Every structure is written in C-alpha cells, then in structure tokens.
Amino acid sequence: MATRGRPRFPQVSAPVLRPNGRGLEVRRLPRGEDRAGRGAAPGSVEQSGTGDDFSATKDPTAVERANLLNMAKLSIKGLIESALSFGRTLDSDYPPLQQFFVVMEHCLKHGLKVRKSFLSYNKTIWGPLELVEKLYPEAEEIGASVRDLPGLKTPLGRARAWLRLALMQKKMADYLRCLIIQRDLLSEFYEYHALMMEEEGAVIVGLLVGLNVIDANLCVKGEDLDSQVGVIDFSMYLKNEEDIGNKERNVQIAAILDQKNYVEELNRQLNSTVSSLHSRVDSLEKSNTKLIEELAIAKNNIIKLQEENHQLRSENKLILMKTQQHLEVTKVDVETELQTYKHSRQGLDEMYNEARRQLRDESQLRQEVENELAVQVSMKHEIELAMKLLEKDIHEKQDTLIGLRQQLEEVKAINIEMYQKLQGSEDGLKEKSEIIAQLEEKTNKITAAMRQLEQRLQQAEKAQMEAEDEDKKYLQECQSKSDNLQKQISQKEKQLVQLETDLKIEKEWRQTLQEDLQKEKDALSHLRNETQQIISLKKEFLNIQDENQQLKKIYHEQEQALQELGNKLSESKLKIEDIKEANKALQGLVWLKDKEATHCKLCEKEFSLSKRKHHCRNCGEIFCNACSDNELPLPSSPKPVRVCDSCHALLIQRCSSNLP
C-alpha cells in the first residue's frame, strides 16, 4: 500500500504482466523513469536494486518469484482489509477477489513444464491440482464437483473452478501445503526454479491461512471460466492522496456501519435476554406455586402432629394424676398399717419391712415411669421447637420467594437453597416419624412395666392371704388373752377391705389403659388396611397397564388386518376386468349395490370386516363367503365364476335335466 510520503506518478502507465516461456515479464511504456534513482515503495511489484542496472546482478527467475510474492502479499492483504471493511460475504464480481484469483493463477503457472503432444503444447495448472486428491482425501469432493460441472471444457477452467471452491471451503492453504511438501511429485510438473519449488511458495501458503477469515459465496456454474483473460490490474495497488482520503472516509463509514451492526446485535441480544428472563419468571412462578402447595401440605402435617402432641400430653397428664393419687393413697394406707402393726406384734414388723421394700420397688418403678414420661415430654418439647423452626423456615422461604422477582440474577442459588431446605424439612419429618415410632416402643415398654406391676400385686395379694391365715391362727390362740386385740384385728380387716377396693380401682384403671392401647392398636390396624388398599390399587393399576398393552396389541393386529384387506382390494382391482365382462352378460339382471345390502340373503347374518360381501354372478344378489363359495362356468363367461348356493343347485339341476 502507498504511503503519504510516496511521490506521485502522473505520467506513468500501469505495469502489465505478460506470460512468456519462463513465467511473467514486467513491461512499461517508454515514459518510465529510473527506479534505481527514486527507490521502489514497500509492497510494489519490482524490488529496488542496489546498482544502476536492474538485472545485471540478479537472476531473472528470482526477480520474477519476488515480484509474484510481493503481488500475492498485496492482493491477499488488500482482499482481507477490503473484506473486513465490506462487512459481508464476498461475491464473484468483487474486484479484489478477481485480482486475487488472477495472481494465484500466475503464481501456479510460474515455472510450469510444457507437455508436448502431436497436436499442440499443453501447459495448464490442472495437473498439479489433481494431485491434491491423492495427498489429501478430503479434496476428493472438490475434484468430483469440478468434473461434474457442465460448462467447463478446458483444464484451465477446471483449475479456476477448483481455486474458487477451495476458497469457499477455507482449505486452500491446507491443499497447497500438501503439494509443496511433496516436491518429488511436483518436479514432474514444475521446473527446479519455479515458485512452487522454492521458499516463496511456502511463504504464499502461509499468507493464504489469513483468508480463512473471509466468507465467500461464489457461483461457479454460471461463469465462463474457460475464456477469461488473467491480467493483473496494478491500478488497484498504486494509489494517490485522493484515494487515501476516500479510503479514510470509507473506513469511517465502515466504522459507523460496524457500530450500527453492533448496536443492532446488542438489541437482539437484549431482546433474547428479556424473552429468556420472561420465560424464567414464568418457570419461577410455576415453581413458587408448587412450593406454596408443598408448604400448605407441610403445614397441614404440622397441625396434625400438634394435635397428636396435645392428645399425648393430655394422656400423660391423666396418667401422672392417677399415679400420684394412687401413690398418696398407698402411702396413707402404709402409714396406718405401720402404726397398727407396731402396737400389735414384732413379727408383723418383718411384714412391714417387706411391704416397705415392695413400696420402694414400686416407687422406683414409678420414678422410672415418671422419668420416661419426662423424657417423652422433653421429646415433645423438642418436636415443638422443631415445628417452630420449620415455621420460621417457611416464613423465610416466603420472603425469599418475594425477593426472587426482584433478583432474577440470583434465582439459581436461591432455588438451590430452597431445595436444600425442603430436603431438610423432609429429613425433619422423617426424624419425627422415627420419634413417633420410638414413642410407640416406649408405650409398649410401659405396658410391659404395668404387667410386671400386676404380677407384683398378685404376689402382694398372696402374701396378704398368707398373713390373713396367720392372723386367724393368732386370733384363735389369743381370744382368751384380750378383747382389745380382737378390736384391732377387726379394724385391720376393715383396712384390708379398703385395700381391696383400692386394688379394684387400680384394676379398673389398668383396664382403661388396656382399652387405650387397644384403640391405638386399632388405629395401627386401620393404617395397615390403608396400606393394603394402596397395594391393591397398585396391582389394579398394573392390571390396567397390562390391559392397555393388550388393547395396543389388538390395535396392531387390526391394523395388520386392514393392511391385508388393502392388499386383497388391490388384487380385486385386477379382477375388475373379469367382472366387467360378466356385467356385460348380466345387463338384464339387477346388480345390487354394496351399501344397500347389510345382511346375507341366505343365512341373514350381518356383514363385518371378517364376514365380507360377495356378489353372485348369476342372480346379482349379495351373499357372505360361506353362502357363495361355489364356482361354475356361465353362458356369459366360459371361466368359472362365484355363484351362490341356490343358483348353484338350480344350475346343477338344469345340467342334469339336459343330460340324456
């Protein structure tokens, strides 16, 4: 490209490259000035010499290679810059692109060997380009497509079409690199001093990699590639100040267009982001509704658990009240018994000691029961705290759901947190179910403890019976000693009666506890029945699925039957000609229509897919297959034709009567 410091060329004509026997020759008109005195600008076609004569010290083939390399640099650089400023795909009419193909054609023709034949000399670049198919398998498509083009007649036209297709594929550099590496094969087509055999060819291949940025849309079919003249236009690369100013304007316009395209792309991206955000908002609203429903279900479960906790608390309070009353009554009874037995006998002290031991054991058992109840109460308090925490979590989730509409960017993280919290709540519910199971186990333990208490009470009753027997013996021995002792014994008997009444009360209380346990067992059995019903429903669902599969099989079988019917109908079309011939003979008969007949005339059965309709060729009526499975030759048709049973019998009778 020309710079601002470069001198103008008002009277110098554009140089023209003409092919000769060795490559390209640069010629000018007579008004050319001495290049050695002023120096060539960077990027020009000819290289500046160090002396006065241009070709005195250098090889002309090297100069030709350098000129072609510089032209390739200029054309590739100009094509990339103009394509980027142009801002769209390039067509075949684009001048820089045309000049690029001309330059590449000259580069490939440099040093090409001439192949002699009987009629003419053959010097084309299609031969080395055909080698690419053998070296690079992916190039087979290009070769096949070039050979299939209808308008190409010469090898040069095929080579030009090949270059255009390689540019569109963005693999021109790869294909030519394969050629340059295989110099042994290229030596059959090129001289040793050719551009493709030297380092300049590798440089041009490296420059061609930059063309992968360009998008080209070339129509190869409509172009006349055989008769084109490849002449390099140097006026595109020799520019003055006006061209530079126009170029700056074009650059500014291109920048404005780029900004416009950038703004349009931003608008499109913003529209796409807005639509995606709307879709996300809709999905979030749906997920929020689902979460609200799940929260409502969780609240209902919490309310049920609270009611169960209240019921358990009331039951525990009743149990504690009854146990306290029973303890107070038993303590009073024991104190009275101790006072009476202290005055009576020393032998009864041992009984009182045993009774005290039993009371201690019972009190220890009751304390254990009370401790278990306290543990249950603490567990219930923990459950209540967990329920409160769940309510707090629910409120926090509602706050986060309200904040989701304002903070769309943090939606994913908040959804993940909500999901984790829901998992935590589910884990909490599972823990609560485990706690309920533990409470059931504790109730079972309490029942076992009550049974032990009943056994101990039975032992106490036996001891009382033994004590009564001993008392009776003692009364018989001591009746004569004192009436006071009898009075005391009568009082003791009254106390024993009271104890028996207390024991009856305790038995009734135990019965109530057993009834409560039975109620709980009934509830458990009810739940088990519900689970069994669910299992039965699952079985019914599986049965319904099996029925659905069976129906699908029936549907497929019916489809196959319909296909077979279609095949039979296609076969029946072939028999229409025979039927038409029979119709000519039966023009005087009445031929019923298929729509009018719904039942067979003989067996009077309804027609269906399996029970098809058949015409009798003699009478014209419609019968089923079973009633018309006979075939006889009629006077109208020498071939055997379908006939109904009645016509078959009549025709046989006629034939038998006609016989001698």
Short mmCIF file of all heavy atoms in Angstrom, two decimals, residues 518-553:
data_model
loop_
_atom_site.label_atom_id
_atom_site.label_comp_id
_atom_site.label_asym_id
_atom_site.label_seq_id
_atom_site.Cartn_x
_atom_site.Cartn_y
_atom_site.Cartn_z
N GLN A 518 -55.66 -50.78 73.13
CA GLN A 518 -56.40 -51.44 72.05
C GLN A 518 -56.83 -50.45 70.98
O GLN A 518 -56.81 -50.75 69.77
CB GLN A 518 -57.62 -52.16 72.62
CG GLN A 518 -57.27 -53.44 73.39
CD GLN A 518 -58.49 -54.11 73.96
OE1 GLN A 518 -59.61 -53.58 73.83
NE2 GLN A 518 -58.30 -55.25 74.59
N LYS A 519 -57.21 -49.24 71.42
CA LYS A 519 -57.57 -48.22 70.44
C LYS A 519 -56.39 -47.88 69.53
O LYS A 519 -56.52 -47.75 68.31
CB LYS A 519 -58.06 -46.96 71.15
CG LYS A 519 -59.43 -47.12 71.78
CD LYS A 519 -59.84 -45.84 72.49
CE LYS A 519 -61.21 -45.99 73.15
NZ LYS A 519 -61.61 -44.75 73.87
N GLU A 520 -55.23 -47.74 70.18
CA GLU A 520 -54.04 -47.46 69.38
C GLU A 520 -53.75 -48.61 68.41
O GLU A 520 -53.37 -48.39 67.25
CB GLU A 520 -52.84 -47.24 70.29
CG GLU A 520 -52.91 -45.93 71.07
CD GLU A 520 -51.73 -45.75 71.99
OE1 GLU A 520 -50.90 -46.68 72.09
OE2 GLU A 520 -51.63 -44.67 72.59
N LYS A 521 -53.91 -49.84 68.90
CA LYS A 521 -53.70 -50.99 68.02
C LYS A 521 -54.69 -50.99 66.86
O LYS A 521 -54.35 -51.33 65.72
CB LYS A 521 -53.81 -52.28 68.81
CG LYS A 521 -52.65 -52.52 69.76
CD LYS A 521 -52.83 -53.79 70.53
CE LYS A 521 -51.67 -54.04 71.49
NZ LYS A 521 -51.85 -55.28 72.28
N ASP A 522 -55.96 -50.59 67.18
CA ASP A 522 -56.95 -50.50 66.10
C ASP A 522 -56.55 -49.46 65.06
O ASP A 522 -56.73 -49.67 63.84
CB ASP A 522 -58.31 -50.14 66.69
CG ASP A 522 -58.85 -51.26 67.56
OD1 ASP A 522 -58.55 -52.45 67.29
OD2 ASP A 522 -59.60 -50.96 68.52
N ALA A 523 -56.03 -48.32 65.57
CA ALA A 523 -55.57 -47.29 64.62
C ALA A 523 -54.44 -47.82 63.73
O ALA A 523 -54.41 -47.58 62.52
CB ALA A 523 -55.09 -46.05 65.39
N LEU A 524 -53.51 -48.57 64.37
CA LEU A 524 -52.42 -49.15 63.58
C LEU A 524 -52.95 -50.15 62.55
O LEU A 524 -52.48 -50.20 61.40
CB LEU A 524 -51.43 -49.84 64.50
CG LEU A 524 -50.56 -48.93 65.37
CD1 LEU A 524 -49.82 -49.74 66.40
CD2 LEU A 524 -49.57 -48.15 64.51
N SER A 525 -53.93 -50.95 62.96
CA SER A 525 -54.51 -51.91 62.01
C SER A 525 -55.21 -51.18 60.86
O SER A 525 -55.16 -51.60 59.70
CB SER A 525 -55.49 -52.82 62.74
OG SER A 525 -56.59 -52.06 63.26
N HIS A 526 -55.88 -50.04 61.22
CA HIS A 526 -56.53 -49.24 60.17
C HIS A 526 -55.50 -48.73 59.16
O HIS A 526 -55.73 -48.78 57.94
CB HIS A 526 -57.27 -48.08 60.82
CG HIS A 526 -58.00 -47.22 59.82
ND1 HIS A 526 -59.10 -47.67 59.11
CD2 HIS A 526 -57.76 -45.94 59.42
CE1 HIS A 526 -59.51 -46.71 58.31
NE2 HIS A 526 -58.72 -45.64 58.49
N LEU A 527 -54.37 -48.25 59.68
CA LEU A 527 -53.31 -47.78 58.78
C LEU A 527 -52.78 -48.93 57.91
O LEU A 527 -52.50 -48.75 56.72
CB LEU A 527 -52.16 -47.18 59.60
CG LEU A 527 -52.48 -45.84 60.30
CD1 LEU A 527 -51.34 -45.47 61.24
CD2 LEU A 527 -52.67 -44.73 59.28
N ARG A 528 -52.63 -50.11 58.52
CA ARG A 528 -52.17 -51.26 57.73
C ARG A 528 -53.17 -51.61 56.64
O ARG A 528 -52.80 -51.94 55.51
CB ARG A 528 -51.95 -52.45 58.65
CG ARG A 528 -50.73 -52.30 59.53
CD ARG A 528 -50.63 -53.44 60.52
NE ARG A 528 -49.47 -53.28 61.39
CZ ARG A 528 -49.22 -54.04 62.46
NH1 ARG A 528 -50.07 -55.02 62.77
NH2 ARG A 528 -48.14 -53.82 63.20
N ASN A 529 -54.48 -51.51 56.98
CA ASN A 529 -55.50 -51.77 55.96
C ASN A 529 -55.40 -50.77 54.82
O ASN A 529 -55.56 -51.12 53.65
CB ASN A 529 -56.89 -51.71 56.59
CG ASN A 529 -57.13 -52.87 57.55
OD1 ASN A 529 -56.68 -54.00 57.30
ND2 ASN A 529 -57.82 -52.61 58.65
N GLU A 530 -55.14 -49.50 55.19
CA GLU A 530 -54.98 -48.49 54.13
C GLU A 530 -53.79 -48.81 53.23
O GLU A 530 -53.86 -48.66 52.00
CB GLU A 530 -54.79 -47.12 54.77
CG GLU A 530 -56.08 -46.56 55.36
CD GLU A 530 -55.88 -45.18 55.98
OE1 GLU A 530 -54.72 -44.75 56.08
OE2 GLU A 530 -56.88 -44.56 56.35
N THR A 531 -52.67 -49.24 53.87
CA THR A 531 -51.51 -49.62 53.05
C THR A 531 -51.84 -50.79 52.13
O THR A 531 -51.43 -50.83 50.97
CB THR A 531 -50.33 -49.99 53.95
OG1 THR A 531 -50.74 -51.00 54.89
CG2 THR A 531 -49.82 -48.78 54.71
N GLN A 532 -52.61 -51.79 52.67
CA GLN A 532 -53.02 -52.90 51.82
C GLN A 532 -53.90 -52.45 50.67
O GLN A 532 -53.79 -52.94 49.53
CB GLN A 532 -53.75 -53.95 52.66
CG GLN A 532 -52.85 -54.71 53.63
CD GLN A 532 -53.60 -55.70 54.48
OE1 GLN A 532 -54.84 -55.77 54.39
NE2 GLN A 532 -52.89 -56.44 55.32
N GLN A 533 -54.79 -51.46 50.96
CA GLN A 533 -55.62 -50.91 49.88
C GLN A 533 -54.76 -50.24 48.83
O GLN A 533 -55.02 -50.37 47.63
CB GLN A 533 -56.62 -49.91 50.46
CG GLN A 533 -57.73 -50.57 51.28
CD GLN A 533 -58.66 -49.55 51.90
OE1 GLN A 533 -58.46 -48.34 51.72
NE2 GLN A 533 -59.66 -50.00 52.62
N ILE A 534 -53.73 -49.51 49.29
CA ILE A 534 -52.82 -48.86 48.32
C ILE A 534 -52.13 -49.90 47.46
O ILE A 534 -51.97 -49.75 46.25
CB ILE A 534 -51.81 -47.98 49.07
CG1 ILE A 534 -52.52 -46.75 49.68
CG2 ILE A 534 -50.69 -47.51 48.14
CD1 ILE A 534 -51.71 -46.05 50.74
N ILE A 535 -51.70 -51.01 48.12
CA ILE A 535 -51.04 -52.08 47.35
C ILE A 535 -52.01 -52.68 46.34
O ILE A 535 -51.64 -52.96 45.19
CB ILE A 535 -50.51 -53.15 48.32
CG1 ILE A 535 -49.33 -52.58 49.14
CG2 ILE A 535 -50.05 -54.39 47.56
CD1 ILE A 535 -49.00 -53.40 50.36
N SER A 536 -53.27 -52.87 46.76
CA SER A 536 -54.26 -53.41 45.83
C SER A 536 -54.50 -52.45 44.67
O SER A 536 -54.66 -52.87 43.51
CB SER A 536 -55.57 -53.68 46.57
OG SER A 536 -56.11 -52.47 47.07
N LEU A 537 -54.51 -51.12 44.99
CA LEU A 537 -54.67 -50.13 43.91
C LEU A 537 -53.50 -50.21 42.94
O LEU A 537 -53.67 -50.07 41.72
CB LEU A 537 -54.78 -48.73 44.50
CG LEU A 537 -56.08 -48.40 45.24
CD1 LEU A 537 -55.95 -47.08 45.96
CD2 LEU A 537 -57.25 -48.37 44.27
N LYS A 538 -52.28 -50.39 43.47
CA LYS A 538 -51.12 -50.54 42.58
C LYS A 538 -51.29 -51.76 41.68
O LYS A 538 -50.99 -51.71 40.48
CB LYS A 538 -49.85 -50.68 43.41
CG LYS A 538 -49.38 -49.38 44.05
CD LYS A 538 -48.09 -49.60 44.80
CE LYS A 538 -47.59 -48.30 45.44
NZ LYS A 538 -46.36 -48.52 46.22
N LYS A 539 -51.77 -52.87 42.28
CA LYS A 539 -51.99 -54.06 41.47
C LYS A 539 -53.02 -53.81 40.38
O LYS A 539 -52.85 -54.22 39.23
CB LYS A 539 -52.43 -55.21 42.35
CG LYS A 539 -51.34 -55.73 43.28
CD LYS A 539 -51.85 -56.86 44.14
CE LYS A 539 -50.75 -57.39 45.07
NZ LYS A 539 -51.26 -58.47 45.94
N GLU A 540 -54.11 -53.10 40.75
CA GLU A 540 -55.12 -52.76 39.74
C GLU A 540 -54.52 -51.89 38.64
O GLU A 540 -54.83 -52.06 37.46
CB GLU A 540 -56.28 -52.03 40.41
CG GLU A 540 -57.13 -52.93 41.29
CD GLU A 540 -58.24 -52.17 41.98
OE1 GLU A 540 -58.32 -50.94 41.80
OE2 GLU A 540 -59.03 -52.80 42.70
N PHE A 541 -53.66 -50.92 39.06
CA PHE A 541 -53.00 -50.07 38.05
C PHE A 541 -52.15 -50.91 37.10
O PHE A 541 -52.15 -50.70 35.87
CB PHE A 541 -52.15 -49.03 38.76
CG PHE A 541 -51.41 -48.12 37.84
CD1 PHE A 541 -52.09 -47.17 37.10
CD2 PHE A 541 -50.04 -48.22 37.68
CE1 PHE A 541 -51.42 -46.32 36.24
CE2 PHE A 541 -49.37 -47.38 36.83
CZ PHE A 541 -50.05 -46.43 36.11
N LEU A 542 -51.41 -51.89 37.66
CA LEU A 542 -50.61 -52.77 36.79
C LEU A 542 -51.50 -53.58 35.87
O LEU A 542 -51.18 -53.78 34.68
CB LEU A 542 -49.75 -53.68 37.66
CG LEU A 542 -48.64 -53.00 38.49
CD1 LEU A 542 -48.03 -53.99 39.46
CD2 LEU A 542 -47.57 -52.43 37.58
N ASN A 543 -52.64 -54.05 36.41
CA ASN A 543 -53.56 -54.81 35.56
C ASN A 543 -54.10 -53.94 34.43
O ASN A 543 -54.24 -54.39 33.29
CB ASN A 543 -54.71 -55.35 36.41
CG ASN A 543 -54.25 -56.42 37.39
OD1 ASN A 543 -53.36 -57.22 37.06
ND2 ASN A 543 -54.81 -56.45 38.58
N ILE A 544 -54.40 -52.68 34.77
CA ILE A 544 -54.89 -51.74 33.74
C ILE A 544 -53.82 -51.53 32.68
O ILE A 544 -54.10 -51.45 31.48
CB ILE A 544 -55.32 -50.42 34.39
CG1 ILE A 544 -56.60 -50.64 35.21
CG2 ILE A 544 -55.55 -49.34 33.34
CD1 ILE A 544 -56.90 -49.54 36.19
N GLN A 545 -52.55 -51.41 33.13
CA GLN A 545 -51.46 -51.26 32.15
C GLN A 545 -51.38 -52.49 31.25
O GLN A 545 -51.18 -52.37 30.03
CB GLN A 545 -50.14 -51.06 32.88
CG GLN A 545 -49.95 -49.66 33.46
CD GLN A 545 -48.60 -49.48 34.09
OE1 GLN A 545 -47.90 -50.47 34.31
NE2 GLN A 545 -48.24 -48.25 34.41
N ASP A 546 -51.52 -53.69 31.84
CA ASP A 546 -51.50 -54.91 31.02
C ASP A 546 -52.64 -54.90 30.01
O ASP A 546 -52.47 -55.27 28.83
CB ASP A 546 -51.59 -56.14 31.93
CG ASP A 546 -50.36 -56.27 32.81
OD1 ASP A 546 -49.27 -55.83 32.37
OD2 ASP A 546 -50.48 -56.83 33.91
N GLU A 547 -53.85 -54.48 30.49
CA GLU A 547 -54.98 -54.41 29.56
C GLU A 547 -54.71 -53.42 28.44
O GLU A 547 -55.07 -53.66 27.28
CB GLU A 547 -56.24 -54.00 30.33
CG GLU A 547 -56.76 -55.09 31.27
CD GLU A 547 -57.97 -54.64 32.06
OE1 GLU A 547 -58.36 -53.47 31.92
OE2 GLU A 547 -58.51 -55.45 32.82
N ASN A 548 -54.07 -52.28 28.82
CA ASN A 548 -53.74 -51.29 27.79
C ASN A 548 -52.79 -51.88 26.75
O ASN A 548 -52.95 -51.68 25.54
CB ASN A 548 -53.09 -50.08 28.46
CG ASN A 548 -52.91 -48.92 27.50
OD1 ASN A 548 -53.41 -48.96 26.38
ND2 ASN A 548 -52.20 -47.90 27.92
N GLN A 549 -51.78 -52.63 27.23
CA GLN A 549 -50.87 -53.28 26.28
C GLN A 549 -51.60 -54.28 25.41
O GLN A 549 -51.33 -54.39 24.19
CB GLN A 549 -49.75 -53.96 27.05
CG GLN A 549 -48.77 -52.98 27.73
CD GLN A 549 -47.70 -53.69 28.50
OE1 GLN A 549 -47.73 -54.92 28.59
NE2 GLN A 549 -46.77 -52.94 29.08
N GLN A 550 -52.53 -55.03 26.00
CA GLN A 550 -53.30 -55.98 25.21
C GLN A 550 -54.12 -55.28 24.14
O GLN A 550 -54.22 -55.73 23.00
CB GLN A 550 -54.20 -56.82 26.12
CG GLN A 550 -53.43 -57.79 27.02
CD GLN A 550 -54.34 -58.53 27.96
OE1 GLN A 550 -55.56 -58.31 27.95
NE2 GLN A 550 -53.78 -59.41 28.77
N LEU A 551 -54.74 -54.13 24.56
CA LEU A 551 -55.51 -53.35 23.58
C LEU A 551 -54.62 -52.84 22.46
O LEU A 551 -55.03 -52.80 21.29
CB LEU A 551 -56.20 -52.18 24.28
CG LEU A 551 -57.35 -52.56 25.23
CD1 LEU A 551 -57.79 -51.34 26.02
CD2 LEU A 551 -58.53 -53.11 24.45
N LYS A 552 -53.39 -52.42 22.82
CA LYS A 552 -52.46 -51.98 21.77
C LYS A 552 -52.14 -53.12 20.82
O LYS A 552 -52.07 -52.92 19.60
CB LYS A 552 -51.17 -51.46 22.42
CG LYS A 552 -51.32 -50.08 23.07
CD LYS A 552 -50.01 -49.62 23.66
CE LYS A 552 -50.15 -48.24 24.29
NZ LYS A 552 -48.89 -47.81 24.92
N LYS A 553 -51.93 -54.33 21.37
CA LYS A 553 -51.67 -55.48 20.51
C LYS A 553 -52.85 -55.74 19.58
O LYS A 553 -52.68 -55.99 18.38
CB LYS A 553 -51.40 -56.72 21.37
CG LYS A 553 -50.07 -56.68 22.09
CD LYS A 553 -49.87 -57.94 22.91
CE LYS A 553 -48.54 -57.91 23.66
NZ LYS A 553 -48.36 -59.12 24.50
#
